[in-house]
Amino acid sequence: MARVLNNLLLFLIRLALKIRVWGYWSLIYGYCALCTTAALLKLCWNIVLRPTTTFQWGIRETPPACLNDTSLGTHCYVRIKESGLRFHYIAAGERGKPLMLFLHGFPEFWFSWRYQLREFKSEFRVVAVDMRGYGESDLPLSTESYQLDHLVTDVKDIVEYLGYNRCCLVGHDWGGTIAWLFAIHYPEMVTKLIVLNCPHPSVFTDYALRHPSQLLKSSHFFFFQLPRFPELMLSINDFKALKALFTSRSTGIGRKGRWLTAEDLEAYLYALSQPGALTGALNYYRNVFRWGDDSYLISFFFL
């Protein structure tokens, strides 16, 4: 009798977990479907109203002069033995000074830190890295290559390659997420942690699950789960959506006198227009809901 009850209990637990997992993925992909429908309607509306809409990728062949500004630092490359990936970074300041490492977000690259490189190079060895899949760093083809544990390990490998065992870590957006996780996993390697535009992962997850309005504001997380279609939406009409992301008053730099220059904007479009660049950037989002030790959103969903 005890064995029957035990087996029944195990069956009920497994069934409850399966129902919960099924419900979780139904929520994820149901929301993806809603976001896709909205994007398709917007695309069709633009085609009807603007027949000249182009679907060309508009790859930029020549980098703007600002990317070769020597006052920002020296362009360097490192190939990490463990991952086999080559990373590009800009370094300035005297060797031997404390390391300040900058991690950019989406959809950016090392150029986002141009002002900070100039500002802090007198006191630090400043390094702004192109994250994997961005800029001149290698772009792995598989989506799984962008899981959070790989991204955190990248930071550790780069710090050690630079000859340091600790750093002042600065992260923005996705770079902020990785900075949080790096500090959690390797606290002894972080002297100071500065995070911009990215709350602590557990705080964000708890808040998002308790406030549906935040899920609506984070709807791009769900839309970006789709293959290829987000790349299309971001690139059509000569990257109009990306231009708006950087320059609109709601999402871009809208402060009077602080707007991006035409050359600055072209620098971002040059980096993101290269073959596979948008896919590499979007693959960060495509691993958010995957199982894994560092898949914080799904982990906290089941707490």
Side-chain angles (χ1 to χ4, degrees):
M1 186 66 179
R3 174 176 289 185
V4 173
L5 291 175
N6 185 55
N7 290 338
L8 179 61
L9 180 61
L10 288 175
F11 171 78
L12 292 175
I13 292 174
R14 290 186 184 128
L15 181 61
L17 289 175
K18 287 182 179 180
I19 292 174
R20 218 167 178 186
V21 170
W22 181 87
Y24 174 80
W25 286 111
S26 296
L27 173 64
I28 297 299
Y29 286 111
Y31 200 16
C32 285
L34 288 175
C35 294
T36 304
T37 302
L40 281 171
L41 290 173
K42 182 178 179 180
L43 176 60
C44 293
W45 184 257
N46 285 335
I47 291 174
V48 171
L49 294 182
R50 302 180 181 88
T52 57
T53 296
T54 175
F55 290 88
Q56 296 179 356
W57 285 80
I59 297 174
R60 268 65 173 171
E61 300 291 343
T62 305
C66 59
L67 294 182
N68 295 315
D69 185 351
T70 56
S71 70
L72 295 176
T74 304
H75 290 261
C76 307
Y77 300 86
V78 53
R79 186 171 296 279
I80 304 298
K81 291 182 179 180
E82 288 74 9
S83 65
L85 297 179
R86 188 185 76 154
F87 289 88
H88 167 254
Y89 63 92
I90 299 293
E94 295 181 16
R95 296 178 183 273
K97 286 189 174 181
L99 174 64
M100 179 177 283
L101 183 65
F102 297 99
L103 307 178
H104 64 80
F106 172 90
E108 303 168 334
F109 66 122
W110 72 264
F111 187 67
S112 301
W113 302 108
R114 56 197 179 281
Y115 297 111
Q116 287 77 17
L117 288 171
R118 289 195 183 102
E119 177 68 25
F120 294 105
K121 67 181 180 181
S122 61
E123 299 178 37
F124 295 88
R125 176 65 172 172
V126 288
V127 172
V129 63
D130 279 338
M131 309 291 285
R132 87 164 53 190
Y134 280 94
E136 295 183 51
S137 292
D138 280 350
L139 195 160
L141 297 178
S142 67
T143 304
E144 292 73 18
S145 297
Y146 296 85
Q147 291 181 5
L148 288 169
D149 54 340
H150 297 317
L151 303 176
V152 171
T153 301
D154 287 343
V155 178
K156 178 177 181 292
D157 291 339
I158 290 171
V159 170
E160 292 176 345
Y161 168 81
L162 294 171
Y164 291 83
N165 55 22
R166 59 182 63 190
C167 68
C168 175
L169 190 59
V170 186
H172 169 252
D173 187 63
W174 261 108
T177 297
I178 298 164
W180 277 119
L181 295 174
F182 182 81
I184 291 170
H185 285 279
Y186 303 103
E188 72 283 358
M189 296 186 70
V190 179
T191 55
K192 292 185 182 298
L193 178 65
I194 304 169
V195 177
L196 312 172
N197 194 35
C198 181
H200 189 283
S202 63
V203 174
F204 171 76
T205 305
D206 181 68
Y207 186 86
L209 293 175
R210 296 174 186 274
H211 298 79
S213 61
Q214 181 59 52
L215 285 177
L216 291 174
K217 293 176 182 177
S218 303
S219 59
H220 59 287
F221 275 69
F222 300 87
F223 176 61
F224 290 162
Q225 302 305 308
L226 301 171
R228 299 185 182 179
F229 188 62
E231 285 91 329
L232 172 65
M233 292 299 295
L234 290 173
S235 62
I236 61 172
N237 215 4
D238 194 31
F239 298 92
K240 182 179 178 180
L242 284 177
K243 291 177 182 177
L245 185 63
F246 283 114
T247 60
S248 73
R249 292 187 179 275
S250 59
T251 61
I253 302 175
R255 194 173 177 181
K256 188 175 181 179
R258 300 292 182 92
W259 291 299
L260 289 176
T261 66
E263 189 178 35
D264 290 340
L265 181 59
E266 193 60 29
Y268 287 104
L269 295 180
Y270 168 79
L272 292 165
S273 70
Q274 302 307 306
L278 275 176
T279 298
L282 291 169
N283 278 342
Y284 281 64
Y285 290 93
R286 289 167 178 155
N287 280 282
V288 167
F289 303 111
R290 293 179 180 272
W291 293 100
D293 292 338
D294 290 321
S295 296
Y296 58 84
L297 190 54
I298 191 171
S299 298
F300 283 94
F301 181 84
F302 287 102
L303 288 181

